Amino acid sequence: MKTVKEVSQLTGISVRTLRYYDEIGLLKPTKTSMAGYRLYDDKALETLQQILFFREFDMPLKEIKALMQNPDLDKKQLLNDQKKILILKKERFERIIASIDEILKGENKMDFEVFSKKEIEEMYSSMIDNMSDEQKDIFIKQYGSMGKFEEHFMESASSEQAQRNYAKVVEWYGDKESALEASMNPDNSKIIQAYSNRYDAVIKKLAAKVGIDVNSFEVKQIVGELDFVSKQLYQMKDMSAFMLEMAEKYQEDVEMQKRLNEIYGQGTTVFIGQALEAFYQH
């Protein structure tokens, strides 16, 4: 058994944080000593390690708690998936460092290509195959049907702006083949689902601010949160182009307004579009 102080020294997590985890029911001590000290066994430390892995992905404590308490959750598989994601991130950073070294030496000869129509179709097919029903529902709500979403995806993905974004993605991965492979092998579905749920929750928070100045701090704060969640959900470094396109559709697409207003309330669609535009144009 280890005390709070010993666990803190071992993991680098502050005593205050460990006490807070206990208070919210995220990580309870194995038992409490006669003197009132919290004590943790090896199983509790293993649970803490899993929590810290989740925190690496910036998941809110509330969502981590829900995942940890899910009886159907295969924690071993989830940890293996998280390990793969961290390895991918490590490899990305190594490629970036190597590219910087080449630039510093004046030997940067990397010639990036953008994706062809056939490759974009393969990306879309792979994305759909790996989507959960809940994820598909998000796009159905947004576009009316998966068929319309496919049309939108293919049109948007083939645009000049999208091709410029692909060039950035290829640069991030180091080569075209690695970027294409990553796009066809999405990260763990449970983690993506958690971000999908959080995305919907943030949209509802934004919808609740209808009537407030879109340039106000409180509105921009929520859009900032939406930007962060969107980056995790869509695995994009820069959401500006995508969000500005959505802002235009929110304000001009009557069918979309009708669908989303039924879900989030009258007038919310245009308001969200204006809020996105105010945030990403400045």
Side-chain angles (χ1 to χ4, degrees), residues 175-206:
D175 58 76
K176 179 177 176 179
E177 290 70 26
S178 297
L180 189 60
E181 181 183 355
S183 72
M184 294 183 179
N185 293 280
D187 295 340
N188 181 267
S189 61
K190 290 186 177 68
I191 294 175
I192 293 176
Q193 184 56 51
Y195 279 115
S196 296
N197 294 339
R198 189 176 172 194
Y199 180 94
D200 187 57
V202 178
I203 286 289
K204 289 177 180 176
K205 283 172 62 176
L206 191 57

PDB file of all heavy atoms in Angstrom, residues 175-206:
ATOM      1  N   ASP A 175       5.237  11.993 -45.678  1.00  0.00           N
ATOM      2  CA  ASP A 175       5.112  11.581 -47.070  1.00  0.00           C
ATOM      3  C   ASP A 175       3.660  11.230 -47.354  1.00  0.00           C
ATOM      4  O   ASP A 175       2.868  11.011 -46.441  1.00  0.00           O
ATOM      5  CB  ASP A 175       6.021  10.383 -47.394  1.00  0.00           C
ATOM      6  CG  ASP A 175       5.722   9.179 -46.504  1.00  0.00           C
ATOM      7  OD1 ASP A 175       4.699   8.515 -46.749  1.00  0.00           O
ATOM      8  OD2 ASP A 175       6.503   8.912 -45.568  1.00  0.00           O
ATOM      9  N   LYS A 176       3.340  11.170 -48.636  1.00  0.00           N
ATOM     10  CA  LYS A 176       1.962  10.973 -49.062  1.00  0.00           C
ATOM     11  C   LYS A 176       1.421   9.621 -48.615  1.00  0.00           C
ATOM     12  O   LYS A 176       0.270   9.500 -48.172  1.00  0.00           O
ATOM     13  CB  LYS A 176       1.890  11.088 -50.587  1.00  0.00           C
ATOM     14  CG  LYS A 176       0.494  10.887 -51.159  1.00  0.00           C
ATOM     15  CD  LYS A 176       0.526  11.083 -52.663  1.00  0.00           C
ATOM     16  CE  LYS A 176      -0.821  10.805 -53.278  1.00  0.00           C
ATOM     17  NZ  LYS A 176      -0.816  11.012 -54.737  1.00  0.00           N
ATOM     18  N   GLU A 177       2.238   8.583 -48.722  1.00  0.00           N
ATOM     19  CA  GLU A 177       1.791   7.231 -48.369  1.00  0.00           C
ATOM     20  C   GLU A 177       1.420   7.123 -46.894  1.00  0.00           C
ATOM     21  O   GLU A 177       0.401   6.521 -46.532  1.00  0.00           O
ATOM     22  CB  GLU A 177       2.880   6.201 -48.708  1.00  0.00           C
ATOM     23  CG  GLU A 177       3.102   5.974 -50.194  1.00  0.00           C
ATOM     24  CD  GLU A 177       3.755   7.161 -50.888  1.00  0.00           C
ATOM     25  OE1 GLU A 177       4.473   7.932 -50.200  1.00  0.00           O
ATOM     26  OE2 GLU A 177       3.527   7.333 -52.092  1.00  0.00           O
ATOM     27  N   SER A 178       2.215   7.733 -46.026  1.00  0.00           N
ATOM     28  CA  SER A 178       1.937   7.678 -44.589  1.00  0.00           C
ATOM     29  C   SER A 178       0.658   8.432 -44.252  1.00  0.00           C
ATOM     30  O   SER A 178      -0.141   7.982 -43.428  1.00  0.00           O
ATOM     31  CB  SER A 178       3.109   8.287 -43.802  1.00  0.00           C
ATOM     32  OG  SER A 178       4.278   7.549 -43.992  1.00  0.00           O
ATOM     33  N   ALA A 179       0.456   9.576 -44.899  1.00  0.00           N
ATOM     34  CA  ALA A 179      -0.751  10.367 -44.660  1.00  0.00           C
ATOM     35  C   ALA A 179      -1.992   9.614 -45.116  1.00  0.00           C
ATOM     36  O   ALA A 179      -3.019   9.597 -44.430  1.00  0.00           O
ATOM     37  CB  ALA A 179      -0.656  11.702 -45.391  1.00  0.00           C
ATOM     38  N   LEU A 180      -1.908   8.971 -46.276  1.00  0.00           N
ATOM     39  CA  LEU A 180      -3.043   8.224 -46.810  1.00  0.00           C
ATOM     40  C   LEU A 180      -3.352   7.016 -45.927  1.00  0.00           C
ATOM     41  O   LEU A 180      -4.512   6.717 -45.632  1.00  0.00           O
ATOM     42  CB  LEU A 180      -2.745   7.762 -48.236  1.00  0.00           C
ATOM     43  CG  LEU A 180      -3.909   7.149 -49.016  1.00  0.00           C
ATOM     44  CD1 LEU A 180      -5.046   8.152 -49.144  1.00  0.00           C
ATOM     45  CD2 LEU A 180      -3.448   6.706 -50.398  1.00  0.00           C
ATOM     46  N   GLU A 181      -2.298   6.344 -45.464  1.00  0.00           N
ATOM     47  CA  GLU A 181      -2.490   5.181 -44.585  1.00  0.00           C
ATOM     48  C   GLU A 181      -3.150   5.591 -43.276  1.00  0.00           C
ATOM     49  O   GLU A 181      -4.054   4.919 -42.785  1.00  0.00           O
ATOM     50  CB  GLU A 181      -1.143   4.516 -44.294  1.00  0.00           C
ATOM     51  CG  GLU A 181      -1.249   3.291 -43.402  1.00  0.00           C
ATOM     52  CD  GLU A 181       0.102   2.682 -43.064  1.00  0.00           C
ATOM     53  OE1 GLU A 181       1.122   3.161 -43.610  1.00  0.00           O
ATOM     54  OE2 GLU A 181       0.143   1.747 -42.255  1.00  0.00           O
ATOM     55  N   ALA A 182      -2.715   6.716 -42.716  1.00  0.00           N
ATOM     56  CA  ALA A 182      -3.290   7.192 -41.453  1.00  0.00           C
ATOM     57  C   ALA A 182      -4.758   7.554 -41.617  1.00  0.00           C
ATOM     58  O   ALA A 182      -5.579   7.291 -40.735  1.00  0.00           O
ATOM     59  CB  ALA A 182      -2.513   8.400 -40.948  1.00  0.00           C
ATOM     60  N   SER A 183      -5.106   8.135 -42.765  1.00  0.00           N
ATOM     61  CA  SER A 183      -6.496   8.535 -42.998  1.00  0.00           C
ATOM     62  C   SER A 183      -7.410   7.327 -43.123  1.00  0.00           C
ATOM     63  O   SER A 183      -8.618   7.429 -42.900  1.00  0.00           O
ATOM     64  CB  SER A 183      -6.594   9.381 -44.267  1.00  0.00           C
ATOM     65  OG  SER A 183      -6.403   8.584 -45.421  1.00  0.00           O
ATOM     66  N   MET A 184      -6.859   6.179 -43.490  1.00  0.00           N
ATOM     67  CA  MET A 184      -7.663   4.976 -43.673  1.00  0.00           C
ATOM     68  C   MET A 184      -7.626   4.067 -42.458  1.00  0.00           C
ATOM     69  O   MET A 184      -8.244   3.003 -42.447  1.00  0.00           O
ATOM     70  CB  MET A 184      -7.181   4.204 -44.901  1.00  0.00           C
ATOM     71  CG  MET A 184      -7.403   4.946 -46.197  1.00  0.00           C
ATOM     72  SD  MET A 184      -6.917   3.983 -47.630  1.00  0.00           S
ATOM     73  CE  MET A 184      -7.333   5.131 -48.941  1.00  0.00           C
ATOM     74  N   ASN A 185      -6.898   4.488 -41.429  1.00  0.00           N
ATOM     75  CA  ASN A 185      -6.825   3.703 -40.197  1.00  0.00           C
ATOM     76  C   ASN A 185      -7.103   4.616 -39.019  1.00  0.00           C
ATOM     77  O   ASN A 185      -6.192   5.013 -38.296  1.00  0.00           O
ATOM     78  CB  ASN A 185      -5.445   3.048 -40.047  1.00  0.00           C
ATOM     79  CG  ASN A 185      -5.203   1.993 -41.092  1.00  0.00           C
ATOM     80  OD1 ASN A 185      -5.671   0.870 -40.988  1.00  0.00           O
ATOM     81  ND2 ASN A 185      -4.476   2.364 -42.143  1.00  0.00           N
ATOM     82  N   PRO A 186      -8.378   5.005 -38.821  1.00  0.00           N
ATOM     83  CA  PRO A 186      -8.727   5.960 -37.763  1.00  0.00           C
ATOM     84  C   PRO A 186      -8.422   5.429 -36.375  1.00  0.00           C
ATOM     85  O   PRO A 186      -8.333   4.210 -36.164  1.00  0.00           O
ATOM     86  CB  PRO A 186     -10.241   6.155 -37.955  1.00  0.00           C
ATOM     87  CG  PRO A 186     -10.692   4.912 -38.647  1.00  0.00           C
ATOM     88  CD  PRO A 186      -9.551   4.499 -39.532  1.00  0.00           C
ATOM     89  N   ASP A 187      -8.275   6.366 -35.448  1.00  0.00           N
ATOM     90  CA  ASP A 187      -7.986   6.014 -34.057  1.00  0.00           C
ATOM     91  C   ASP A 187      -9.161   5.290 -33.408  1.00  0.00           C
ATOM     92  O   ASP A 187     -10.232   5.140 -33.994  1.00  0.00           O
ATOM     93  CB  ASP A 187      -7.657   7.278 -33.262  1.00  0.00           C
ATOM     94  CG  ASP A 187      -6.378   7.920 -33.762  1.00  0.00           C
ATOM     95  OD1 ASP A 187      -5.572   7.240 -34.412  1.00  0.00           O
ATOM     96  OD2 ASP A 187      -6.204   9.111 -33.480  1.00  0.00           O
ATOM     97  N   ASN A 188      -8.958   4.853 -32.192  1.00  0.00           N
ATOM     98  CA  ASN A 188      -9.945   4.052 -31.459  1.00  0.00           C
ATOM     99  C   ASN A 188     -11.346   4.658 -31.484  1.00  0.00           C
ATOM    100  O   ASN A 188     -11.542   5.829 -31.184  1.00  0.00           O
ATOM    101  CB  ASN A 188      -9.468   3.916 -30.013  1.00  0.00           C
ATOM    102  CG  ASN A 188     -10.402   3.088 -29.190  1.00  0.00           C
ATOM    103  OD1 ASN A 188     -11.280   3.628 -28.553  1.00  0.00           O
ATOM    104  ND2 ASN A 188     -10.228   1.786 -29.222  1.00  0.00           N
ATOM    105  N   SER A 189     -12.331   3.829 -31.862  1.00  0.00           N
ATOM    106  CA  SER A 189     -13.700   4.317 -32.032  1.00  0.00           C
ATOM    107  C   SER A 189     -14.314   4.818 -30.726  1.00  0.00           C
ATOM    108  O   SER A 189     -15.133   5.738 -30.740  1.00  0.00           O
ATOM    109  CB  SER A 189     -14.575   3.211 -32.622  1.00  0.00           C
ATOM    110  OG  SER A 189     -14.614   2.083 -31.764  1.00  0.00           O
ATOM    111  N   LYS A 190     -13.927   4.230 -29.594  1.00  0.00           N
ATOM    112  CA  LYS A 190     -14.488   4.667 -28.310  1.00  0.00           C
ATOM    113  C   LYS A 190     -14.054   6.094 -27.992  1.00  0.00           C
ATOM    114  O   LYS A 190     -14.830   6.897 -27.478  1.00  0.00           O
ATOM    115  CB  LYS A 190     -14.065   3.705 -27.189  1.00  0.00           C
ATOM    116  CG  LYS A 190     -14.703   2.328 -27.266  1.00  0.00           C
ATOM    117  CD  LYS A 190     -14.336   1.498 -26.050  1.00  0.00           C
ATOM    118  CE  LYS A 190     -15.022   0.140 -26.069  1.00  0.00           C
ATOM    119  NZ  LYS A 190     -14.523  -0.719 -27.155  1.00  0.00           N
ATOM    120  N   ILE A 191     -12.790   6.403 -28.300  1.00  0.00           N
ATOM    121  CA  ILE A 191     -12.288   7.743 -28.057  1.00  0.00           C
ATOM    122  C   ILE A 191     -12.968   8.736 -28.993  1.00  0.00           C
ATOM    123  O   ILE A 191     -13.392   9.818 -28.588  1.00  0.00           O
ATOM    124  CB  ILE A 191     -10.757   7.791 -28.250  1.00  0.00           C
ATOM    125  CG1 ILE A 191     -10.071   6.929 -27.174  1.00  0.00           C
ATOM    126  CG2 ILE A 191     -10.236   9.219 -28.180  1.00  0.00           C
ATOM    127  CD1 ILE A 191      -8.578   6.808 -27.338  1.00  0.00           C
ATOM    128  N   ILE A 192     -13.107   8.344 -30.271  1.00  0.00           N
ATOM    129  CA  ILE A 192     -13.768   9.212 -31.242  1.00  0.00           C
ATOM    130  C   ILE A 192     -15.213   9.447 -30.836  1.00  0.00           C
ATOM    131  O   ILE A 192     -15.741  10.556 -30.945  1.00  0.00           O
ATOM    132  CB  ILE A 192     -13.698   8.591 -32.655  1.00  0.00           C
ATOM    133  CG1 ILE A 192     -12.239   8.572 -33.131  1.00  0.00           C
ATOM    134  CG2 ILE A 192     -14.558   9.379 -33.636  1.00  0.00           C
ATOM    135  CD1 ILE A 192     -12.026   7.901 -34.460  1.00  0.00           C
ATOM    136  N   GLN A 193     -15.882   8.394 -30.332  1.00  0.00           N
ATOM    137  CA  GLN A 193     -17.272   8.542 -29.907  1.00  0.00           C
ATOM    138  C   GLN A 193     -17.379   9.518 -28.742  1.00  0.00           C
ATOM    139  O   GLN A 193     -18.323  10.313 -28.662  1.00  0.00           O
ATOM    140  CB  GLN A 193     -17.849   7.184 -29.500  1.00  0.00           C
ATOM    141  CG  GLN A 193     -19.332   7.232 -29.138  1.00  0.00           C
ATOM    142  CD  GLN A 193     -20.177   7.793 -30.254  1.00  0.00           C
ATOM    143  OE1 GLN A 193     -20.088   7.345 -31.388  1.00  0.00           O
ATOM    144  NE2 GLN A 193     -21.003   8.790 -29.954  1.00  0.00           N
ATOM    145  N   ALA A 194     -16.401   9.459 -27.839  1.00  0.00           N
ATOM    146  CA  ALA A 194     -16.408  10.379 -26.705  1.00  0.00           C
ATOM    147  C   ALA A 194     -16.328  11.823 -27.196  1.00  0.00           C
ATOM    148  O   ALA A 194     -17.035  12.707 -26.701  1.00  0.00           O
ATOM    149  CB  ALA A 194     -15.243  10.074 -25.768  1.00  0.00           C
ATOM    150  N   TYR A 195     -15.483  12.073 -28.191  1.00  0.00           N
ATOM    151  CA  TYR A 195     -15.372  13.418 -28.741  1.00  0.00           C
ATOM    152  C   TYR A 195     -16.619  13.810 -29.517  1.00  0.00           C
ATOM    153  O   TYR A 195     -17.016  14.982 -29.533  1.00  0.00           O
ATOM    154  CB  TYR A 195     -14.141  13.535 -29.636  1.00  0.00           C
ATOM    155  CG  TYR A 195     -12.874  13.747 -28.851  1.00  0.00           C
ATOM    156  CD1 TYR A 195     -11.857  12.799 -28.851  1.00  0.00           C
ATOM    157  CD2 TYR A 195     -12.687  14.901 -28.081  1.00  0.00           C
ATOM    158  CE1 TYR A 195     -10.695  12.982 -28.120  1.00  0.00           C
ATOM    159  CE2 TYR A 195     -11.536  15.097 -27.342  1.00  0.00           C
ATOM    160  CZ  TYR A 195     -10.543  14.133 -27.374  1.00  0.00           C
ATOM    161  OH  TYR A 195      -9.402  14.321 -26.633  1.00  0.00           O
ATOM    162  N   SER A 196     -17.276  12.829 -30.179  1.00  0.00           N
ATOM    163  CA  SER A 196     -18.524  13.112 -30.897  1.00  0.00           C
ATOM    164  C   SER A 196     -19.591  13.590 -29.918  1.00  0.00           C
ATOM    165  O   SER A 196     -20.320  14.551 -30.181  1.00  0.00           O
ATOM    166  CB  SER A 196     -19.010  11.861 -31.634  1.00  0.00           C
ATOM    167  OG  SER A 196     -18.106  11.467 -32.631  1.00  0.00           O
ATOM    168  N   ASN A 197     -19.681  12.902 -28.783  1.00  0.00           N
ATOM    169  CA  ASN A 197     -20.653  13.287 -27.754  1.00  0.00           C
ATOM    170  C   ASN A 197     -20.341  14.677 -27.207  1.00  0.00           C
ATOM    171  O   ASN A 197     -21.236  15.484 -26.957  1.00  0.00           O
ATOM    172  CB  ASN A 197     -20.644  12.266 -26.615  1.00  0.00           C
ATOM    173  CG  ASN A 197     -21.147  10.908 -27.064  1.00  0.00           C
ATOM    174  OD1 ASN A 197     -21.850  10.789 -28.062  1.00  0.00           O
ATOM    175  ND2 ASN A 197     -20.784   9.867 -26.337  1.00  0.00           N
ATOM    176  N   ARG A 198     -19.057  14.935 -27.021  1.00  0.00           N
ATOM    177  CA  ARG A 198     -18.651  16.228 -26.479  1.00  0.00           C
ATOM    178  C   ARG A 198     -18.933  17.341 -27.493  1.00  0.00           C
ATOM    179  O   ARG A 198     -19.329  18.445 -27.115  1.00  0.00           O
ATOM    180  CB  ARG A 198     -17.160  16.192 -26.136  1.00  0.00           C
ATOM    181  CG  ARG A 198     -16.690  17.422 -25.372  1.00  0.00           C
ATOM    182  CD  ARG A 198     -15.251  17.285 -24.973  1.00  0.00           C
ATOM    183  NE  ARG A 198     -14.738  18.528 -24.422  1.00  0.00           N
ATOM    184  CZ  ARG A 198     -13.453  18.767 -24.236  1.00  0.00           C
ATOM    185  NH1 ARG A 198     -12.568  17.850 -24.524  1.00  0.00           N
ATOM    186  NH2 ARG A 198     -13.040  19.915 -23.742  1.00  0.00           N
ATOM    187  N   TYR A 199     -18.739  17.037 -28.789  1.00  0.00           N
ATOM    188  CA  TYR A 199     -19.020  18.007 -29.853  1.00  0.00           C
ATOM    189  C   TYR A 199     -20.486  18.429 -29.802  1.00  0.00           C
ATOM    190  O   TYR A 199     -20.807  19.613 -29.846  1.00  0.00           O
ATOM    191  CB  TYR A 199     -18.694  17.374 -31.208  1.00  0.00           C
ATOM    192  CG  TYR A 199     -18.946  18.279 -32.402  1.00  0.00           C
ATOM    193  CD1 TYR A 199     -17.918  19.050 -32.925  1.00  0.00           C
ATOM    194  CD2 TYR A 199     -20.197  18.345 -33.009  1.00  0.00           C
ATOM    195  CE1 TYR A 199     -18.127  19.885 -34.018  1.00  0.00           C
ATOM    196  CE2 TYR A 199     -20.423  19.176 -34.098  1.00  0.00           C
ATOM    197  CZ  TYR A 199     -19.387  19.934 -34.595  1.00  0.00           C
ATOM    198  OH  TYR A 199     -19.614  20.753 -35.672  1.00  0.00           O
ATOM    199  N   ASP A 200     -21.371  17.444 -29.688  1.00  0.00           N
ATOM    200  CA  ASP A 200     -22.807  17.734 -29.639  1.00  0.00           C
ATOM    201  C   ASP A 200     -23.140  18.564 -28.402  1.00  0.00           C
ATOM    202  O   ASP A 200     -23.963  19.481 -28.452  1.00  0.00           O
ATOM    203  CB  ASP A 200     -23.598  16.424 -29.631  1.00  0.00           C
ATOM    204  CG  ASP A 200     -25.099  16.653 -29.757  1.00  0.00           C
ATOM    205  OD1 ASP A 200     -25.523  17.281 -30.741  1.00  0.00           O
ATOM    206  OD2 ASP A 200     -25.844  16.208 -28.864  1.00  0.00           O
ATOM    207  N   ALA A 201     -22.485  18.255 -27.282  1.00  0.00           N
ATOM    208  CA  ALA A 201     -22.739  18.984 -26.037  1.00  0.00           C
ATOM    209  C   ALA A 201     -22.306  20.451 -26.168  1.00  0.00           C
ATOM    210  O   ALA A 201     -22.987  21.360 -25.671  1.00  0.00           O
ATOM    211  CB  ALA A 201     -21.996  18.317 -24.881  1.00  0.00           C
ATOM    212  N   VAL A 202     -21.187  20.690 -26.848  1.00  0.00           N
ATOM    213  CA  VAL A 202     -20.703  22.066 -27.015  1.00  0.00           C
ATOM    214  C   VAL A 202     -21.633  22.837 -27.948  1.00  0.00           C
ATOM    215  O   VAL A 202     -21.911  24.026 -27.711  1.00  0.00           O
ATOM    216  CB  VAL A 202     -19.262  22.079 -27.564  1.00  0.00           C
ATOM    217  CG1 VAL A 202     -18.792  23.516 -27.787  1.00  0.00           C
ATOM    218  CG2 VAL A 202     -18.317  21.389 -26.584  1.00  0.00           C
ATOM    219  N   ILE A 203     -22.127  22.187 -29.001  1.00  0.00           N
ATOM    220  CA  ILE A 203     -23.085  22.841 -29.900  1.00  0.00           C
ATOM    221  C   ILE A 203     -24.330  23.270 -29.117  1.00  0.00           C
ATOM    222  O   ILE A 203     -24.867  24.366 -29.319  1.00  0.00           O
ATOM    223  CB  ILE A 203     -23.487  21.898 -31.058  1.00  0.00           C
ATOM    224  CG1 ILE A 203     -22.351  21.784 -32.072  1.00  0.00           C
ATOM    225  CG2 ILE A 203     -24.745  22.389 -31.748  1.00  0.00           C
ATOM    226  CD1 ILE A 203     -22.111  23.034 -32.901  1.00  0.00           C
ATOM    227  N   LYS A 204     -24.780  22.428 -28.204  1.00  0.00           N
ATOM    228  CA  LYS A 204     -25.949  22.765 -27.381  1.00  0.00           C
ATOM    229  C   LYS A 204     -25.640  23.956 -26.477  1.00  0.00           C
ATOM    230  O   LYS A 204     -26.502  24.815 -26.256  1.00  0.00           O
ATOM    231  CB  LYS A 204     -26.368  21.547 -26.554  1.00  0.00           C
ATOM    232  CG  LYS A 204     -27.004  20.436 -27.382  1.00  0.00           C
ATOM    233  CD  LYS A 204     -27.344  19.222 -26.537  1.00  0.00           C
ATOM    234  CE  LYS A 204     -27.987  18.131 -27.394  1.00  0.00           C
ATOM    235  NZ  LYS A 204     -28.236  16.894 -26.624  1.00  0.00           N
ATOM    236  N   LYS A 205     -24.421  24.020 -25.948  1.00  0.00           N
ATOM    237  CA  LYS A 205     -24.026  25.160 -25.114  1.00  0.00           C
ATOM    238  C   LYS A 205     -24.046  26.446 -25.937  1.00  0.00           C
ATOM    239  O   LYS A 205     -24.493  27.498 -25.470  1.00  0.00           O
ATOM    240  CB  LYS A 205     -22.620  24.930 -24.551  1.00  0.00           C
ATOM    241  CG  LYS A 205     -22.550  23.966 -23.387  1.00  0.00           C
ATOM    242  CD  LYS A 205     -21.123  23.636 -23.010  1.00  0.00           C
ATOM    243  CE  LYS A 205     -20.340  24.855 -22.566  1.00  0.00           C
ATOM    244  NZ  LYS A 205     -18.964  24.497 -22.118  1.00  0.00           N
ATOM    245  N   LEU A 206     -23.584  26.338 -27.177  1.00  0.00           N
ATOM    246  CA  LEU A 206     -23.559  27.500 -28.055  1.00  0.00           C
ATOM    247  C   LEU A 206     -24.978  27.928 -28.427  1.00  0.00           C
ATOM    248  O   LEU A 206     -25.296  29.125 -28.440  1.00  0.00           O
ATOM    249  CB  LEU A 206     -22.755  27.165 -29.319  1.00  0.00           C
ATOM    250  CG  LEU A 206     -22.387  28.322 -30.254  1.00  0.00           C
ATOM    251  CD1 LEU A 206     -21.607  29.396 -29.505  1.00  0.00           C
ATOM    252  CD2 LEU A 206     -21.570  27.800 -31.425  1.00  0.00           C
TER     253      LEU A 206
END
